[in-house]
Amino acid sequence: MRRGLERAVIGRRVDGVVVTGKRTVRRQSPDDFVTALSGRKLSEAGRHGKFLLVGLDDGATLVAHLRMSGQLLLTSPASPLPAHTHVRIGLDDGTELRFVDPRTFGELFVAAGHGPSGLPVELAALGVDPVRERLTPARLARLLAGRRTSLKAALLDQHLIAGIGNLYADEILHRARLRPDRAAGSLDADESRRLARSIRAVLERAVELRGSSLRDARYVDLAGELGDYQRRHAVYGRAGEPCRRCGTPVERARLAGRSAHFCPSCQR
DNA sequence: AGACAAGCCTGTACGC
DNA sequence: TGCGTACAGGCTTGTC
């Protein structure tokens, strides 16, 4: 999504903003949001964890989080408006950026300042983004040291590592050959190395393949196209099917309030 | 009809 | 007391 924004909207100027949804813009008033965005030039496309960051020419940042069901779509303003369109941002090349979100968990806001990390202060609590920065085995081991939580819960904790959701946590742990219910603080050096490598490998490959679109087809790119990474899933959504590594049926369990998919034979 | 999926915040309970 | 952690509930709607 960030790459799509970089290609399609950077350099464009905002020339009309309409907020119709009641919940999408909730950290500030819709009027303040419209004012902060109107007339601004979009100068860069960034991301930290699951947050998209579009830099504005006055130093502010348009921040977007899609949560479960959000979509950002770039279309002609004349194309039919999908149900659950909550925000429309007109651009000076005659296109329109739309935020569509049936479950309304997603959000947009304009962040005025930057913290010491260069990120908007609203995002200061997020952990390291392992695609933007190198997450070495040693650093990962430090993050996990002493934690009694499960590995799965640790990977999902955005304050430790930013950007891993339920699906990718399962894929990462399978690749690392680690059980999701292992205690996070129990890894030896080789296991930390495998986990660090798997985090990077899975996320980078998923980005290359433009993400995972599940059966509900909620995740699509700016052009509305499906991703391709779901075809590579080794465990997620494959309960009862053979493990791609060893053939043992994939198990599905409940852990940290989430579904966890794993191979009981080759993940230890 | 109703469980379920997801991300993340909040509230509460617990052990050390 | 206070911290880290675990767990449940809430938000929401489309899908099974």
Side-chain angles (χ1 to χ4, degrees):
Chain A
M1 188 65 83
R2 189 204 67 78
R3 290 178 182 185
L5 288 169
E6 186 162 73
R7 247 179 287 116
V9 309
I10 293 316
R12 301 276 63 81
R13 199 172 284 279
V14 175
D15 71 0
V17 183
V18 180
V19 178
T20 50
K22 296 270 177 287
R23 295 166 46 88
T24 300
V25 177
R26 51 183 182 260
R27 297 205 195 203
Q28 62 200 143
S29 74
D31 281 352
D32 286 350
F33 176 81
V34 170
T35 302
L37 209 46
S38 296
R40 298 273 63 82
K41 194 170 180 176
L42 308 178
S43 55
E44 61 182 317
R47 182 193 57 74
H48 192 94
K50 301 172 186 174
F51 288 86
L52 287 162
L53 308 166
V54 180
L56 309 181
D57 60 353
D58 62 353
T61 307
L62 169 62
V63 182
H65 195 310
L66 306 178
R67 297 276 190 114
M68 316 243 343
S69 61
Q71 299 176 334
L72 274 175
L73 299 171
L74 188 68
T75 59
S76 153
S79 78
L81 214 55
H84 311 293
T85 302
H86 303 309
V87 178
R88 285 177 286 150
I89 301 172
L91 302 177
D92 63 359
D93 61 352
T95 61
E96 183 171 272
L97 191 60
R98 293 171 171 172
F99 189 77
V100 178
D101 185 15
R103 292 179 209 171
T104 67
F105 290 3
E107 67 166 327
L108 296 178
F109 63 97
V110 175
H114 293 271
S117 63
L119 286 177
V121 290
E122 290 87 342
L123 309 188
L126 290 177
V128 54
D129 182 307
V131 175
R132 297 182 61 211
E133 274 180 76
R134 186 153 288 284
L135 178 56
T136 62
R139 184 166 180 195
L140 177 62
R142 269 198 306 276
L143 285 175
L144 301 181
R147 291 189 187 271
R148 291 167 305 201
T149 357
S150 63
L151 271 180
K152 169 94 182 214
L155 290 183
L156 292 175
D157 187 342
Q158 303 299 303
H159 306 103
L160 297 176
I161 302 168
I164 300 172
N166 198 44
L167 178 173
Y168 292 115
D170 285 359
E171 293 300 311
I172 287 164
L173 290 169
H174 179 263
R175 183 179 234 271
R177 309 197 311 274
L178 294 166
R179 284 180 63 97
D181 56 0
R182 272 281 296 277
S186 73
L187 302 193
D188 66 25
D190 182 59
E191 291 169 333
S192 295
R193 189 178 50 81
R194 272 156 37 203
L195 184 55
R197 285 185 179 180
S198 299
I199 288 170
R200 191 166 190 95
V202 167
L203 295 181
E204 285 186 345
R205 189 74 180 123
V207 169
E208 275 172 43
L209 293 180
R210 301 161 28 263
S212 297
S213 299
L214 306 181
R215 253 202 309 275
D216 65 3
R218 284 321 302 176
Y219 178 73
V220 293
D221 67 13
L222 272 188
E225 300 286 331
L226 300 175
D228 281 322
Y229 192 73
Q230 65 280 3
R231 293 192 293 194
R232 298 295 238 279
H233 291 175
V235 285
Y236 185 82
R238 297 190 64 247
E241 295 174 47
C243 169
R244 294 204 204 281
R245 186 187 292 124
C246 75
T248 307
V250 170
E251 274 185 25
R252 179 181 156 142
R254 197 120 196 121
L255 188 64
R258 294 282 120 106
S259 63
H261 309 72
F262 64 101
C263 172
S265 167
C266 64
Q267 291 178 250
R268 295 292 174 177

